[in-house]
Amino acid sequence: QAQVEESGGGLVQAGGSLRLSCVISRRTFANLALGWFRQTPGKAREFVGGISRQGTTILHADSVKGRFTISRDNDANTVYLQMTALKPEDTAVYYCAAQTTMSLNLIPTQDSQYYIWGQGTQVTVSS
């Protein structure tokens, strides 16, 4: 079982920026499709974006497109979520997720498709 460590959450004013990091201690990190999700109380987990194994394909949800950027560093076993122009509605617990795949371009968008999860990190955006 992989060890997952998320970091980078916190409190920020609207319009500010944060960068989340997620380190997955797994020898086959380069075989993982990676995703970011977020969840607020009483709501289902929402897909924020994902990145394929080699980083050649990236998806961002419409709600964050143009503001959030996902990237990965396979040498560092790390996936990042750079968040800019943050809004109060971005307030949530953010989770990184991973799934082994043979496809070079696959990005699962449903939380049920991932089997490795981070512990979550709180992001709070004040107005």
Side-chain angles (χ1 to χ4, degrees):
Q1 186 71 13
Q3 234 178 341
V4 185
E5 185 171 343
E6 291 187 43
S7 62
L11 173 64
V12 64
Q13 286 190 327
S17 299
L18 283 173
R19 188 177 80 157
L20 306 184
S21 300
C22 174
V23 180
I24 302 176
S25 59
R26 186 180 174 102
R27 187 167 51 88
T28 55
F29 181 86
N31 292 341
L32 299 175
L34 303 167
W36 285 96
F37 289 77
R38 65 187 182 187
Q39 190 171 28
T40 54
K43 292 192 176 180
R45 207 170 285 182
E46 175 191 13
F47 176 74
V48 174
I51 186 166
S52 61
R53 282 175 51 181
Q54 297 301 316
T56 51
T57 304
I58 300 174
L59 289 177
H60 295 96
D62 288 343
S63 58
V64 305
K65 204 170 289 183
R67 300 187 298 121
F68 291 10
T69 303
I70 294 171
S71 61
R72 67 188 290 164
D73 182 355
N74 284 353
D75 291 333
N77 282 28
T78 303
V79 58
Y80 303 98
L81 180 65
Q82 178 68 51
M83 304 184 292
T84 64
L86 281 160
K87 305 175 182 179
E89 51 263 44
D90 294 319
T91 295
V93 177
Y94 284 72
Y95 298 90
C96 64
Q99 183 217 48
T100 301
T101 177
M102 297 305 294
S103 168
L104 294 178
N105 298 308
L106 176 70
I107 301 175
T109 59
Q110 304 299 313
D111 57 359
S112 59
Q113 296 174 289
Y114 291 89
Y115 68 94
I116 296 174
W117 287 89
Q119 78 280 10
T121 186
Q122 176 70 46
V123 172
T124 303
V125 184
S126 63
S127 55

